[in-house]
Amino acid sequence: DRYFECFYSALGDRGFEGERVMEGFFVDSCTDSVYSLAAMTSGAVRLSRSNIDLSLSAVRTHIRLESVVRINKDGYIYTLKQSAELTHKAMKGIGSGEGIYTHTFIFERIGGSWYLTFHECEGGAWSYAKKALDALCGTDAPSYAQLYGAYPKFAQKLAEKAKSNAALIRNAGYETSYTQPNIVYNRKAAEEYARRWSSVISESRNIEQWTDYDNDSGNFVSQCIYSGVGEMDTRGNYIWKWFGPYVNYEKENEGCSMSWTEGDNFHLYCTGNDRLGLYALADAAGGQIEKGDVVQLITDGSAVSQAIVTDIVTDVYGNKLDFLVCGHDSDLVSYPVSALHCDEVRFIKILGYNKD
């Protein structure tokens, strides 16, 4: 309870001091303590560099205990799932949601007191912090000293990335001429589909028609787009299709294409197709983005997740300040792009579909 209270306090306090707040949580020299500190720092830095005030006015954390395993007379392994409903100060009347993440903690009693001696999370801020710090250390098994030495550089680079992402969101973009597609993208249908099949409280999956993947973000984004165009691309020089969970380029109406499920492959499809099939601008500017368009999260140069824009935050003059997205993988509901954990964001504008 104290750990999660500490984590979410980082999203509500621009003067958050993670090292002071976390003191006494972890046993000395536990490498996971630096990853956790970096995860909390990531949230705090992002809200301070965003175009609007993303600090929290309220939060409801949902924690479901999956298992408890005793490892000795003074130790336990706790596995739990966590999600949260968030209310940001700058977005009155709009609730955001984030989850579902699986955490594994090891508690051990040392010298009469209980400490965390291990912590791992499969996604979200913690997973991002680990990847980023390991990259800075040049190894996937750094020592405590290496991690602690890399932490200030991580915080500095994070602030730079958050600032550049905020500028990208506000970028008015450029005029792009394009021919009218045969089928104009039904943005409302895509948005409604995204809202229906995303949930922060329980995993919401349309598994009657679509298979769920370990990283379901690309599959989910493609489902949303498909609901807005009603066609798959099975014949072009690039393919975008899903008829089954396994990749199959040999038969037109069987299997799926990597562009349906993988972020970088979807970007490649939008960049390289011959304007038959799905019609999109692969590298759009923030000012061009509307509801139903795609946001890709980039870490170490690769798209690690995707989401669908379901709302746009503007100032009184109509200038775009942020985008709210829904997505799978780590379930997102009306979640601000500025608060997402990644190095960069990439926008893809969906225009429609061309049959000929």
Side-chain angles (χ1 to χ4, degrees):
D1 286 348
R2 286 179 56 219
Y3 178 87
F4 288 108
E5 181 181 353
C6 178
F7 180 86
Y8 285 105
S9 71
L11 295 177
D13 180 6
R14 289 177 180 267
F16 175 78
E17 296 179 19
E19 292 178 90
R20 175 182 56 79
V21 175
M22 284 183 57
E23 189 175 0
F25 273 36
F26 288 85
V27 70
D28 290 345
S29 299
C30 175
T31 57
D32 297 335
S33 68
V34 186
Y35 294 136
S36 294
L37 173 62
M40 296 180 191
T41 301
S42 179
V45 169
R46 289 177 198 285
L47 71 89
S48 66
R49 295 298 192 277
S50 65
N51 294 320
I52 56 178
D53 185 0
L54 288 178
S55 55
L56 297 178
S57 57
V59 57
R60 293 177 63 192
T61 307
H62 306 271
I63 300 175
R64 183 171 76 242
L65 188 62
E66 296 284 285
S67 66
V68 180
V69 178
R70 188 165 186 168
I71 53 176
N72 54 52
K73 65 183 181 68
D74 288 318
Y76 296 87
I77 301 174
Y78 276 68
T79 302
L80 55 86
K81 288 194 173 183
Q82 164 250 335
S83 61
E85 296 173 271
L86 313 173
T87 304
H88 297 277
K89 289 183 178 179
M91 295 186 289
K92 296 179 180 178
I94 299 177
S96 296
E98 184 184 31
I100 300 167
Y101 302 123
T102 299
H103 293 263
T104 302
F105 294 96
I106 295 181
F107 291 91
E108 294 187 77
R109 183 159 48 196
I110 301 172
S113 299
W114 288 91
Y115 296 94
L116 291 172
T117 58
F118 175 88
H119 175 213
E120 186 174 68
C121 179
E122 66 180 14
W126 198 93
S127 179
Y128 169 79
K130 185 178 190 315
K131 289 178 181 178
L133 277 172
D134 287 355
L136 287 173
C137 292
T139 175
D140 59 0
S143 66
Y144 179 86
Q146 286 177 303
L147 282 171
Y148 201 75
Y151 171 75
K153 187 175 180 180
F154 167 80
Q156 179 184 354
K157 288 178 68 69
L158 184 68
E160 294 168 356
K161 293 291 186 181
K163 187 175 181 179
S164 63
N165 284 341
L168 182 61
I169 290 171
R170 296 197 68 167
N171 187 347
Y174 47 87
E175 292 297 324
T176 302
S177 60
Y178 52 86
T179 58
Q180 189 77 353
N182 299 151
I183 300 174
V184 176
Y185 187 36
N186 187 336
R187 298 182 178 279
K188 184 174 179 58
E191 176 200 344
E192 289 177 348
Y193 187 97
R195 292 185 185 278
R196 178 182 179 187
W197 295 108
S198 58
S199 170
V200 68
I201 304 303
S202 62
E203 295 179 87
S204 182
R205 301 285 190 264
N206 185 359
I207 57 175
E208 293 182 2
Q209 182 178 3
W210 314 100
T211 295
D212 189 10
Y213 297 89
D214 289 338
N215 183 330
D216 201 46
S217 65
N219 178 36
F220 176 70
V221 161
S222 288
Q223 292 174 38
C224 296
I225 297 170
Y226 177 68
S227 71
V229 297
E231 300 278 350
M232 296 180 189
D233 187 358
T234 62
R235 298 181 180 180
N237 62 338
Y238 285 74
I239 302 299
W240 179 71
K241 67 172 184 176
W242 198 103
F243 296 99
Y246 303 108
V247 174
N248 187 332
Y249 290 102
E250 302 299 322
K251 296 185 178 180
E252 184 176 311
N253 296 323
E254 292 186 18
C256 67
S257 63
M258 294 293 285
S259 59
W260 185 276
T261 59
E262 299 292 335
D264 287 329
N265 284 278
F266 180 67
H267 180 258
L268 178 64
Y269 172 88
C270 294
T271 303
N273 75 356
D274 53 8
R275 297 308 181 218
L276 295 178
L278 189 64
Y279 189 20
L281 300 179
D283 294 285
Q288 296 173 294
I289 296 304
E290 303 174 72
K291 293 181 182 180
D293 287 331
V294 179
V295 176
Q296 295 192 324
L297 312 185
I298 312 298
T299 297
D300 291 335
S302 298
V304 295
S305 190
Q306 304 182 85
I308 288 285
V309 175
T310 52
D311 212 341
I312 299 172
V313 181
T314 63
D315 61 19
V316 294
Y317 304 105
N319 298 310
K320 293 176 182 178
L321 302 180
D322 213 336
F323 303 105
L324 306 184
V325 296
C326 289
H328 279 184
D329 182 17
S330 299
D331 288 355
L332 301 169
V333 179
S334 298
Y335 202 83
V337 169
S338 294
L340 292 172
H341 299 278
C342 60
D343 293 341
E344 303 170 66
V345 294
R346 181 163 66 197
F347 300 120
I348 299 177
K349 185 175 181 63
I350 309 301
L351 301 171
Y353 189 93
N354 283 320
K355 290 189 172 182
D356 51 46

